[in-house]
Amino acid sequence: QDVHFSYDGKTEVIKGVSLKIQPGQMVAFVGPSGGGKSTLANLICRFFDVQSGSVRVGGADVRDIPKEELMDTISFVFQNSHLIKGSILDNVRMGKPDATDEEVLAALRAAQCMDIIEKFPDGVHTVIGSQGIYLSGGEMQRLAIARAMLKNAPVLILDEATAFADPDNETKVQAAFNALAKGRTVIMIAHRLSTVVNADHIYVLKDGHLAEDGSFVELSERTGSLFGTMWRDYQQSVRWKVAKEA
């Protein structure tokens, strides 16, 4: 509600943004680079606090929610989700420290991770980052999704989480996302506009303002809309890429 935020106390990067996301909705934040998409998501997680206005979850100001409770309410998967040097089991169990091995394995299955487990002799006990055992970006993303699934929080924030997935991994990462999103309120920060076509609502941020919002059909067909221009540019770039590869 009327959120203003500045990193340095001088230059505002979020300028009076108000929006309401309904429980169970899948919404997307899109817009030009530097428009404020990731900053807005960080304010929901309370990685930073607003200078004025408020961010509310379930009607409560996030500044009034105990930190542990807020972290139990919100899961996030970022572009470069970090894994610790430890076993696959330990990395996923960070989502729910008291989880049983069976619960961790169920999350790994749901997140399309069994091919990762099966390629190592030690399976889930394989220690990542040691003895030359390293994972691709897409594989790390799937483990991060498994961690979020195990956590089972009602609100999920995805920051362009398929960005670093190679083609072989992208289908599996997308399938894992679809499973993770079921029954949750999902806020998706998207750079590739193909990922927002099925969103319930799209918010377009530009220069810290909410420039426009609506469904994909509404925004793509609206005369002179910023989203419409972005969508046409995106389709052109995809066609150019396909033509170049062909």
Side-chain angles (χ1 to χ4, degrees), residues 77 81 83 92 107-108 110-117 119 136-149 161 166 168-174 176-177:
V77 180
S81 294
L83 301 178
V92 175
L108 284 163
Q112 311 281 314
C113 293
M114 296 317 289
D115 63 313
I116 304 171
I117 310 303
K119 74 177 181 178
S136 71
E139 289 171 334
M140 288 194 290
Q141 284 299 70
R142 281 188 275 150
L143 290 182
I145 293 166
R147 183 192 291 166
M149 281 184 156
D166 50 87
D168 289 341
N169 267 289
E170 187 168 358
T171 303
K172 286 178 178 167
V173 171
Q174 201 58 56
F177 276 148

Side-chain angles (χ1 to χ4, degrees), residues 26-246:
M26 177 183 282
V27 305
F29 291 168
V30 304
S33 182
K37 303 182 294 292
S38 294
T39 301
L40 211 53
N42 287 336
L43 294 172
I44 298 168
C45 299
R46 213 188 159 200
F47 293 153
F48 304 99
D49 276 339
V50 300
Q51 262 86 40
S52 67
S54 65
V55 177
R56 296 177 178 273
V57 176
D61 192 309
V62 292
R63 291 169 291 191
D64 298 331
I65 300 173
K67 197 169 185 180
E68 295 75 16
E69 188 179 336
L70 185 62
M71 288 299 97
D72 285 344
T73 304
I74 301 172
S75 276
F76 35 85
V77 180
F78 295 129
Q79 281 187 27
N80 53 345
S81 294
H82 294 293
L83 301 178
I84 60 168
K85 184 174 179 179
S87 71
I88 291 172
L89 200 68
D90 291 339
N91 268 282
V92 175
R93 192 176 265 140
M94 288 171 68
K96 184 184 174 188
D98 61 348
T100 64
D101 287 4
E102 289 74 23
E103 287 176 312
V104 176
L105 278 166
L108 284 163
R109 275 190 214 95
Q112 311 281 314
C113 293
M114 296 317 289
D115 63 313
I116 304 171
I117 310 303
E118 288 162 3
K119 74 177 181 178
F120 298 119
D122 293 332
V124 291
H125 301 290
T126 302
V127 176
I128 303 165
S130 67
Q131 300 175 327
I133 293 173
Y134 295 94
L135 302 177
S136 71
E139 289 171 334
M140 288 194 290
Q141 284 299 70
R142 281 188 275 150
L143 290 182
I145 293 166
R147 183 192 291 166
M149 281 184 156
L150 188 64
K151 185 176 176 182
N152 200 25
V155 179
L156 175 64
I157 296 175
L158 304 173
D159 189 352
E160 191 59 287
T162 60
F164 295 150
D166 50 87
D168 289 341
N169 267 289
E170 187 168 358
T171 303
K172 286 178 178 167
V173 171
Q174 201 58 56
F177 276 148
N178 294 341
L180 178 57
K182 280 178 185 165
R184 292 181 172 84
T185 304
V186 179
I187 299 164
M188 179 170 45
I189 300 163
H191 305 280
R192 281 189 292 187
L193 296 186
S194 58
T195 59
V196 309
V197 173
N198 295 319
D200 295 313
H201 207 83
I202 298 169
Y203 296 95
V204 184
L205 292 152
K206 182 183 180 185
D207 299 328
H209 293 285
L210 180 58
E212 56 197 29
D213 68 287
S215 69
F216 174 80
V217 172
E218 288 168 352
L219 291 174
S220 57
E221 294 181 354
R222 190 179 296 169
T223 305
S225 75
L226 173 59
F227 182 84
T229 302
M230 290 170 57
W231 178 246
R232 286 188 293 276
D233 290 346
Y234 172 77
Q235 288 180 305
Q236 189 68 42
S237 71
V238 170
R239 281 196 294 270
W240 177 83
K241 186 180 177 189
V242 168
K244 187 182 177 193
E245 288 177 356

